[in-house]
Amino acid sequence: MEENTSNVGENPPKTGKFALNYGLILGALFVVFGIMLFLQDAHTSRSSVNQIISIVLMIGVIFWGVFNFRKANGGYLKLGEALKIGTGIALISAIIYIIYMLVLVNVLDTEFPVKVAELQKAAAEEAGVASTEQIQQQYDGTINYFWITYPFILIFNIILGLVIGLIAGLIFKKAKPAY
């Protein structure tokens, strides 16, 4: 994604454009990863490897977006611009992923909430820290209130994008000279 750096003073690049473009890229990567897991019947897995891969994808795309914004801005970057880009990328990708989750839960695998609840129930029974009644309440709550997952995905992604954008901004920050 090369940007023209010859008019940096007249036409500085827009953080929103970079957030949108790289958010679409990250969202597409999340959907492809989700479909891959679905096709392998691993979409209900609680494996930390899946979570680590998602976070690494997010870090990579946000750093890539912030770096290319700095390049398009003549090599200069303010911390606030990096925060906007990181948060924007995370927001756009989260919206795309939520749309994928809605399709997954309502079309591809209508039993997804039940499968997740079964996994949680088995883990709770194995741990033995809750009574049978409490485990059943958790099971019923997971199925009946699965929709609450969507705002949590959005909030978690935005916070993570803010933190990653902050780190990228601190690494790539370069102020314009005062003269």
Side-chain angles (χ1 to χ4, degrees):
M1 298 210 154
E2 290 287 323
E3 296 290 327
N4 184 7
T5 58
S6 60
N7 307 352
V8 171
E10 300 168 13
N11 255 343
K14 304 271 189 244
T15 56
K17 178 184 173 193
F18 278 80
L20 177 63
N21 289 342
Y22 288 92
L24 290 172
I25 291 169
L26 182 58
L29 288 172
F30 281 162
V31 169
V32 167
F33 185 60
I35 290 171
M36 182 193 75
L37 291 174
F38 174 73
L39 292 175
Q40 295 177 354
D41 201 28
H43 61 293
T44 56
S45 168
R46 297 179 70 177
S47 170
S48 59
V49 173
N50 295 345
Q51 296 167 352
I52 291 169
I53 290 171
S54 295
I55 291 171
V56 167
L57 285 173
M58 184 179 256
I59 291 169
V61 172
I62 290 175
F63 268 68
W64 183 31
V66 170
F67 178 77
N68 281 339
F69 177 85
R70 182 179 118 168
K71 197 162 101 176
N73 199 27
Y76 301 109
L77 175 74
K78 296 177 191 168
L79 187 58
E81 293 168 332
L83 290 171
K84 287 180 192 176
I85 293 168
T87 306
I89 290 171
L91 173 66
I92 299 297
S93 66
I95 291 170
I96 292 169
Y97 187 71
I98 288 169
I99 292 169
Y100 163 73
M101 285 292 296
L102 287 168
V103 170
L104 175 70
V105 170
N106 294 306
V107 177
L108 299 175
D109 186 2
T110 55
E111 293 296 311
F112 183 74
V114 174
K115 290 176 182 177
V116 170
E118 288 290 338
L119 286 171
Q120 289 176 347
K121 184 178 181 180
E125 287 172 347
E126 186 177 311
V129 295
S131 70
T132 307
E133 184 178 296
Q134 290 171 327
I135 293 171
Q136 187 61 41
Q137 284 177 335
Q138 179 185 11
Y139 177 85
D140 294 339
T142 300
I143 293 171
N144 294 331
Y145 298 105
F146 191 78
W147 59 269
I148 200 81
T149 304
Y150 306 123
F152 279 121
I153 291 171
L154 191 64
I155 293 166
F156 179 75
N157 264 24
I158 291 171
I159 291 170
L160 195 57
L162 185 68
V163 171
I164 296 169
L166 173 66
I167 294 168
L170 291 172
I171 292 171
F172 296 127
K173 182 174 84 168
K174 184 176 178 188
K176 291 183 181 178
Y179 51 90

